Amino acid sequence: MANNNSTARVVKKPKNKKNISTGVAHVQASFNNTIITLTDTQGNVLAWATAGGSGFRGSRKGTPFAAQVAVEKVCQTAKEMNMKNVEVWVKGPGPGRESAIRAFHANGFVIISIVDVTPLPHNGCRPPKRRRC
């Protein structure tokens, strides 16, 4: 006897809600774009957003407002996980650095600490040899 698929019921498992109180927000601010990644304290990615993925194109991706919109996208996901506190790690020289931090505060998160993790060369690459006239 063949199984009739129309009578079979599809049972969806309820999605487990994560309950994370403290997270780490990695803000990578370049001149062209701003990337926001939200992780737990172990470094597992929970949510991410970019200025480009938030609907901005071209030179507008590098603006402080685009970074603020990207943070608001990440904050919606974080609030579903009951996150209240956030550490902010900022990398890069872009214009979205400060506005991203302000946007986290404006969305009701308690900022525990702000750390600048921008890579700095200790002496960098060897410069090219001098030009002969």
Side-chain angles (χ1 to χ4, degrees):
M1 192 164 209
N3 282 341
N4 190 357
N5 288 338
S6 62
T7 60
R9 286 195 164 192
V10 177
V11 179
K12 286 188 177 182
K13 283 200 304 188
K15 195 170 184 182
N16 290 342
K17 289 271 186 181
K18 293 183 180 174
N19 200 358
I20 300 165
S21 62
T22 304
V24 181
H26 301 266
V27 178
Q28 184 179 349
S30 68
F31 290 113
N32 296 323
N33 203 354
T34 304
I35 303 169
I36 315 291
T37 308
L38 194 67
T39 66
D40 57 11
T41 50
Q42 283 79 38
N44 302 317
V45 176
L46 304 172
W48 62 272
T50 63
S54 300
F56 294 92
R57 286 281 158 243
S59 61
R60 291 188 295 155
K61 287 194 302 185
T63 61
F65 178 67
Q68 179 181 336
V69 172
V71 168
E72 288 170 1
K73 252 181 150 177
V74 169
C75 287
Q76 288 176 352
T77 313
K79 285 182 180 175
E80 292 172 6
M81 299 177 198
N82 297 326
M83 190 176 291
K84 303 269 192 295
N85 306 321
V86 71
E87 295 178 38
V88 183
W89 291 7
V90 186
K91 180 188 278 190
R97 287 169 60 105
E98 191 174 327
S99 66
I101 297 168
R102 291 180 188 272
F104 273 112
H105 181 70
N107 278 294
F109 286 91
V110 176
I111 297 176
I112 298 170
S113 65
I114 301 170
V115 182
D116 189 3
V117 292
T118 304
L120 294 173
H122 286 274
N123 209 3
C125 301
R126 181 175 176 156
K129 58 185 182 181
R130 73 173 190 86
R131 185 174 171 184
R132 292 190 202 100
C133 294

